[in-house]
Amino acid sequence: MAAPTIQPGQIKTGPGRILYTPLGTAIPTFTAAASKITGTWTSWLEVGATEEGLTYTESTDTSDITVAESLYPVRTVTTGKSSRIAFTMSHVSDINWKLAMNGGTITTSGTGATKLNTYVPPLVGQEIRVMLGFLSLDEDEVLIWPQVFNVGSVETGRGAFDAKHGLPVEFAAELPDPAVMTTPYKRWTSGSLAQGV
């Protein structure tokens, strides 16, 4: 049996940039140059460093349709779909805290060394959704989720001197306003990853 053709450029490693922005912000117009994706992320904020990068999971729930006369299902139907984007933010800033809590308000008094921020979390029903984006380390892949909501538990420890604090999040991708995008996410690729017709 012949060995497969190895495509080193399609074997990806390393993290990337995770960005977010309020709903309704313009999605960058992406183009490719020198096998890199270029675009201006106007009004998008970076979450900064993470514990282990980003994990994207898409799952499909199914159910088998069976009949007494067959040991095999006669059809398998989709009963649900879900998408999750999970990461732990190492920058425990006030704006990352607000992102993890699905909104809230930050008020500021003073400036410079006397600057003091006060954060108030959102009450039930006042939470907000955001847009989430990912740009790969090699700048050959972009993912944008136009509407996400943190459904994970936020547990941040304050422990030993060598225990790094973090803000874990697990965003659920939702169907956005059709005027923005008609799918729960969109992916752009360039270079070795762009193998489609």
Side-chain angles (χ1 to χ4, degrees), residues 12-171:
K12 307 310 294 179
T13 60
R17 292 170 56 201
I18 303 169
L19 305 102
Y20 70 97
T21 193
L23 289 183
T25 301
I27 294 173
T29 300
F30 296 114
T31 58
S35 295
K36 304 284 185 187
I37 297 175
T38 60
T40 303
W41 296 79
T42 304
S43 300
W44 290 70
L45 299 174
E46 286 192 47
V47 303
T50 63
E51 185 69 25
E52 295 181 347
L54 175 147
T55 300
Y56 175 58
T57 305
E58 185 165 335
S59 62
T60 303
D61 299 324
T62 62
S63 182
D64 291 339
I65 307 300
T66 61
V67 295
E69 292 77 15
S70 175
L71 296 176
Y72 292 96
V74 294
R75 186 168 64 250
T76 301
V77 296
T78 301
T79 58
K81 296 275 286 183
S82 66
S83 299
R84 297 287 190 267
I85 307 99
F87 51 93
T88 298
M89 297 179 282
S90 294
H91 295 185
V92 189
S93 67
D94 49 4
I95 58 172
N96 279 355
W97 194 281
K98 181 178 176 180
L99 173 66
M101 302 301 168
N102 292 316
T105 58
I106 299 171
T107 55
T108 301
S109 63
T111 60
T114 64
K115 181 179 180 180
L116 178 67
N117 281 3
T118 303
Y119 170 75
V120 177
L123 296 175
V124 173
Q126 295 178 345
E127 302 96 341
I128 61 168
R129 273 80 173 150
V130 296
M131 302 170 74
L132 194 63
F134 173 78
L135 174 63
S136 69
L137 184 66
D138 296 327
E139 298 180 353
D140 57 359
E141 179 186 28
V142 169
L143 285 156
I144 290 199
W145 297 272
Q147 184 170 313
V148 298
F149 186 75
N150 184 21
V151 297
S153 297
V154 179
E155 181 179 298
T156 181
R158 298 294 188 265
F161 286 104
D162 61 348
K164 182 172 54 180
H165 306 163
L167 288 170
V169 292
E170 182 180 350
F171 288 99

